[in-house]
Amino acid sequence: MSQSTFTSPARQQPADLGPGAGAPLGGGLKQRHLSMIALGGVIGAGLFVGSGAGVAAAGPSIVLAYAVSGLLVMCVMRMLGEMSAANPASGSFSVHAERAIGPWAGFTAGWMFWTLLCVGVAIEAIGAAHIMTGWFPGTPSWVWVLAFMALFCGTNLAAVKNFGEFEFWFAALKIGAIALFLGLGVLAIAGLLPGTSSPGTANLLPDGGFLPNGLDGLLVGVLASVVAYGGLETVTIAAAESEDPARGVARAVRTTMWRIAVVYVGSMLVVVTLLPWNDPAVTEQGPYAAALDRLGIPAAGEVMNAVVLIALLSAMNANIYGSSRMAYSLVSRGQGPKALGKVSGRVPRRAVLASCGFGFVTVLLSYWYPDTLFAWLLNMVGGVILVVWGFIAVSQFVLRRRLEREAPGELVVRMWGFPYLTWAALAGVAGVLALMAWNPDTRVQVVFTGGLTAFLAATGFLMQRRAAARG
């Protein structure tokens, strides 16, 4: 097991990368950037569009599904926040896994997450291009993909504050949109919105009741909600390049609970109260656009298209940033190609280019081999976030014990109910993976993700053995 000496956050460099750190990265992110990255990280296209499939499967119980998976995510973020506040690192959970379990664990978690983010860039670029071709018929989608990739690659090649500014305004727009939706929805439910009447509980209980498709439908809703929660981890990566890493990540993590409760659980409650869960518009338009249409909001579909476009571009920007910092952290610790470790202008530009390059190649694969290679990539990363959460839980358990012995004053953020909630979260992750393996629609993702995990773990273990043999 890898041992590491903890360093006081007050004396630590903002971009500490753990053992073998290279040149320091920029420290241009302000507290307002971190706050908006944390807020915007929970509002993505998965919520605006992908939640429709969850509503169609679970019915009104989608509220319960988001609440259950939200509790798991809150525990994971609290554990990650505890470790990141004590030792901010651009490698985030990869660095923590290396310190707690060993270099092979840091290698596995880091490169798995990098792959997930790069594939995510491709998915978001394709989705954004689809919206643009709808607005500008006749334009080839590859032109929009190239434009978006160039824009955000350029943004991330510049100073880190540029990334922070883009995410600040993207997040502000997304938060404004969801706040407006919630406000209109609550007024409509209360019967206070002109031209509407309160639906009461009319849409919550008929057509099969609260659990119209039974536990099977609820389980599908849980799986859909877990995917939608992805993206919160980026704030702990970004915190390492902020003005006050320990305080910044502590503040961001402490607000996770109400963000999840209001944004996810609250908005799902509004949707299933306003609309029948089996309304075809929920999946065809997306639940938010369908709800706005029901309220008679003019051009609701186009309004939501604009919001989804912003969410997609925001996710592209954040994923390029997160993947480049994760790659740089791994390389700086001797766990990747040394060529990617060069820093210029306090930005790991080669890591940015490599991450963008992989993302762009993935976009091309989606055009050339949509039913083979691209589908294979999607399946390969389907359960990655759950494996990462598992590494986070194990790392927190080990490092919390070590911190309590060596530097208890650095526990700025503390995991609730330790160690019981840590074990509960780990059991929750295992439970969701088991549900994925049991569900025929997601079983292939578990198989592919398991294969990727085994390959990276074996590679990392061999690298660790060779490093130990050299001395």
Side-chain angles (χ1 to χ4, degrees):
M1 185 173 293
S2 175
Q3 297 293 322
S4 176
T5 302
F6 285 90
T7 308
S8 170
R11 299 190 302 270
Q12 197 169 16
Q13 292 299 317
D16 169 46
L17 298 173
L25 300 182
L29 293 180
K30 303 180 183 297
Q31 182 57 49
R32 67 182 179 88
H33 293 145
L34 281 186
S35 297
M36 279 300 187
I37 291 169
L39 284 165
V42 297
I43 307 173
L47 174 64
F48 288 121
V49 179
S51 55
V55 173
S61 68
I62 191 66
V63 178
L64 179 60
Y66 270 89
V68 169
S69 55
L71 289 174
L72 173 60
V73 173
M74 283 191 282
C75 287
V76 170
M77 284 303 298
R78 188 75 181 188
M79 290 185 284
L80 185 54
E82 178 183 288
M83 296 183 289
S84 297
N87 283 273
S90 277
S92 187
F93 48 81
S94 172
V95 171
H96 306 320
E98 178 174 342
R99 287 171 170 157
I101 307 169
W104 72 268
F107 176 92
T108 304
W111 285 116
M112 286 187 76
F113 195 67
W114 182 82
T115 304
L116 172 66
L117 294 185
C118 290
V119 173
V121 168
I123 296 169
E124 289 132 15
I126 294 165
H130 178 72
I131 293 174
M132 296 304 293
T133 54
W135 287 343
F136 301 95
T139 57
S141 58
W142 68 264
V143 171
W144 296 109
V145 169
L146 183 61
F148 292 140
M149 291 294 295
L151 171 64
F152 293 115
C153 186
T155 299
N156 281 276
L157 285 172
V160 69
K161 66 179 181 180
N162 290 348
F163 159 75
E165 283 299 321
F166 265 92
E167 279 305 292
F168 178 86
W169 292 110
F170 277 147
L173 289 168
K174 289 190 291 184
I175 291 163
I178 203 75
L180 181 61
F181 174 82
L182 288 171
L184 292 171
V186 170
L187 288 175
I189 291 170
L192 301 176
L193 191 67
T196 63
S197 57
S198 174
T201 59
N203 294 320
L204 295 175
L205 300 178
D207 295 321
F210 188 71
L211 281 163
N213 294 319
L215 288 178
D216 286 350
L218 177 61
L219 295 180
V220 173
V222 169
L223 296 179
S225 61
V226 166
V227 173
Y229 280 122
L232 278 167
E233 304 82 9
T234 303
V235 70
T236 60
I237 295 175
E241 292 186 75
S242 66
E243 297 169 330
D244 189 343
R247 183 177 299 176
V249 74
R251 187 178 300 175
V253 168
R254 282 171 179 151
T255 58
T256 297
M257 181 178 291
W258 70 262
R259 291 200 305 270
I260 288 176
V262 172
V263 172
Y264 278 96
V265 181
S267 61
M268 284 297 101
L269 181 58
V270 167
V271 167
V272 295
T273 303
L274 290 176
L275 292 170
W277 66 270
N278 52 3
D279 188 331
V282 170
T283 51
E284 292 171 3
Q285 295 178 254
Y288 291 83
L292 291 175
D293 266 344
R294 179 61 58 90
L295 296 179
I297 305 299
E302 290 308 313
V303 170
M304 285 312 303
N305 269 341
V307 173
V308 171
L309 178 64
I310 291 168
L312 288 166
L313 297 181
S314 171
M316 272 188 73
N317 191 34
N319 284 354
I320 292 172
Y321 171 84
S323 59
S324 65
R325 267 45 177 190
M326 183 60 74
Y328 173 73
S329 174
L330 288 160
V331 169
S332 73
R333 290 179 277 136
Q335 296 182 347
K338 292 182 180 180
L340 301 183
K342 185 176 181 181
V343 174
S344 55
R346 306 196 75 180
V347 173
R349 289 182 174 141
R350 291 184 180 179
V352 170
L353 290 172
S355 298
C356 290
F358 186 89
F360 195 70
V361 167
T362 307
V363 171
L364 295 178
L365 291 177
S366 74
Y367 288 117
W368 295 335
Y369 310 104
D371 299 321
T372 51
L373 282 178
F374 189 62
W376 178 78
L377 272 175
L378 289 177
N379 285 325
M380 188 173 64
V381 300
V384 161
I385 197 63
L386 290 164
V387 176
V388 168
W389 289 353
F391 275 115
I392 289 172
V394 174
S395 301
Q396 187 269 337
F397 181 82
V398 173
L399 295 181
R400 172 65 174 267
R401 296 296 195 197
R402 195 180 301 167
L403 265 176
E404 288 176 335
R405 292 194 308 268
E406 299 176 7
E410 293 179 5
L411 283 168
V412 181
V413 177
R414 290 175 179 264
M415 174 58 182
W416 310 296
F418 179 80
Y420 307 107
L421 278 184
T422 297
W423 286 116
L426 194 56
V429 168
V432 175
L433 282 170
L435 290 177
M436 291 181 68
W438 176 74
N439 188 313
D441 294 332
T442 53
R443 187 175 299 143
V444 66
Q445 295 180 14
V446 177
V447 174
F448 276 89
T449 300
L452 176 64
T453 305
F455 171 76
L456 289 174
T459 303
F461 186 73
L462 287 174
M463 291 176 63
Q464 182 177 325
R465 290 283 299 270
R466 288 175 182 171
R470 288 196 300 266

